[in-house]
Amino acid sequence: MIANSYSDKHLAIMTPSATDPDGELTELWVFGYGSLTWNTCFPYTARVVGSVPGFSRRFWQANTVHRGTPDQPGRVATLVPDEKAVTWGVAYQLKGHGQVTRALQHLTIREGALGGYTTEAARFLPADESLPTRQVLVYLSTEENPLYLGHSTQQETAVAIAAAAGRCGHNAEYLFKLARFMRTSVPMVTDDYLFDLEAMVKSLLGQERAEELETSQTVADELSLTCRKDSVPMPCRFEYLPCRTVAECHRIDTRPASESG
């Protein structure tokens, strides 16, 4: 059964006819705009770059586990309603009961229980205009979430990002990878908020440290590839552990520490 953190209303909106005779979901599209653009950790059938209108991406969500600590919280992305804006990211097609169930079990922990995000339905516009628009499941934070900070200046956000690190690595690495995704996947789009924030964090870190973090390859990168294989036991929890090698993660079985967004 699908985890109960996903309401029947949302799931009905997403795929009104993609169910089997028993009422189980057999197809779902999930939109990622933060770490999900590069670190999925679940199998999927298709990956489509595109945007959702009506939202701005802002680093207004505190993080105390994967990109920060309780004493030094990091900042990760969330979506803020904005009628004139669009947010670019990736939609993942989950096809078949196995993929849908596995991904939702994973995301219930990663985005819901640990990230504090709730779900909404959104309209997804593929960058390739020959592809159809779709309804997608999207994760975002609300004012009810204690980690939601609300409006923060870019200077405040940059200072926090430059100083924070958590189980999944330095907070700046998260920001730099997201900026890299935008430049490589949608080079025709200039995300002023994201790129200005990136420049401010690089200035605070200094050139040498910024370059080190920008080019670093973490255990999360390697494990994301491992976890997308159908042979990996479900639910996948490897990338959430405070370990440094794949072998070490396979030896540990403990509560995951999520990467959100």
Side-chain angles (χ1 to χ4, degrees), residues 115-139:
Y117 289 72
T118 187
T119 56
E120 293 289 343
R123 184 166 60 100
F124 175 76
L125 309 177
D128 182 347
E129 296 181 356
S130 68
L131 298 176
T133 62
R134 297 190 180 277
Q135 289 289 99
V136 293
L137 193 69
V138 64
Y139 295 83

Side-chain angles (χ1 to χ4, degrees), residues 24-72:
E24 298 286 353
L25 272 176
T26 57
E27 184 176 5
L28 184 67
W29 288 78
V30 175
F31 180 70
Y33 57 90
S35 64
L36 280 175
T37 60
W38 75 83
N39 187 12
T40 50
C41 207
F42 52 79
Y44 53 83
T45 296
R47 179 183 187 275
V48 180
V49 174
S51 63
V52 293
F55 294 97
S56 291
R57 175 171 41 216
R58 294 291 183 265
F59 279 67
W60 292 355
Q61 176 81 350
N63 188 273
T64 59
V65 178
H66 42 285
R67 297 291 175 176
T69 66
D71 293 332
Q72 188 77 65

Side-chain angles (χ1 to χ4, degrees), residues 3-179:
N4 59 16
S5 59
Y6 300 89
S7 71
D8 292 339
K9 177 191 71 173
H10 285 143
L11 295 177
I13 290 172
M14 306 314 303
T15 52
S17 61
T19 57
D20 62 19
D22 295 324
E24 298 286 353
L25 272 176
T26 57
E27 184 176 5
L28 184 67
W29 288 78
V30 175
F31 180 70
Y33 57 90
S35 64
L36 280 175
T37 60
W38 75 83
N39 187 12
T40 50
C41 207
F42 52 79
Y44 53 83
T45 296
R47 179 183 187 275
V48 180
V49 174
S51 63
V52 293
F55 294 97
S56 291
R57 175 171 41 216
R58 294 291 183 265
F59 279 67
W60 292 355
Q61 176 81 350
N63 188 273
T64 59
V65 178
H66 42 285
R67 297 291 175 176
T69 66
D71 293 332
Q72 188 77 65
R75 301 288 186 273
V76 292
T78 187
L79 294 182
V80 178
D82 184 345
E83 292 182 359
K84 299 181 180 180
V86 298
T87 293
W88 288 84
V90 178
Y92 296 97
Q93 182 190 29
L94 310 173
K95 199 165 185 178
H97 176 65
Q99 282 192 1
V100 171
T101 301
R102 177 170 169 179
L104 289 184
Q105 287 179 341
H106 171 83
L107 292 169
T108 296
I109 297 173
R110 172 173 174 167
E111 305 292 343
L114 294 174
Y117 289 72
T118 187
T119 56
E120 293 289 343
R123 184 166 60 100
F124 175 76
L125 309 177
D128 182 347
E129 296 181 356
S130 68
L131 298 176
T133 62
R134 297 190 180 277
Q135 289 289 99
V136 293
L137 193 69
V138 64
Y139 295 83
L140 49 81
S141 188
T142 66
E143 293 181 358
E144 287 71 33
N145 184 343
L147 294 176
Y148 180 70
L149 301 172
H151 184 275
S152 301
T153 69
Q154 282 192 294
Q155 180 64 29
E156 291 170 336
T157 305
V159 169
I161 292 174
R167 291 187 184 182
C168 289
H170 198 286
N171 199 179
E173 180 203 9
Y174 175 106
L175 169 65
F176 296 163
K177 285 186 174 179
L178 184 53

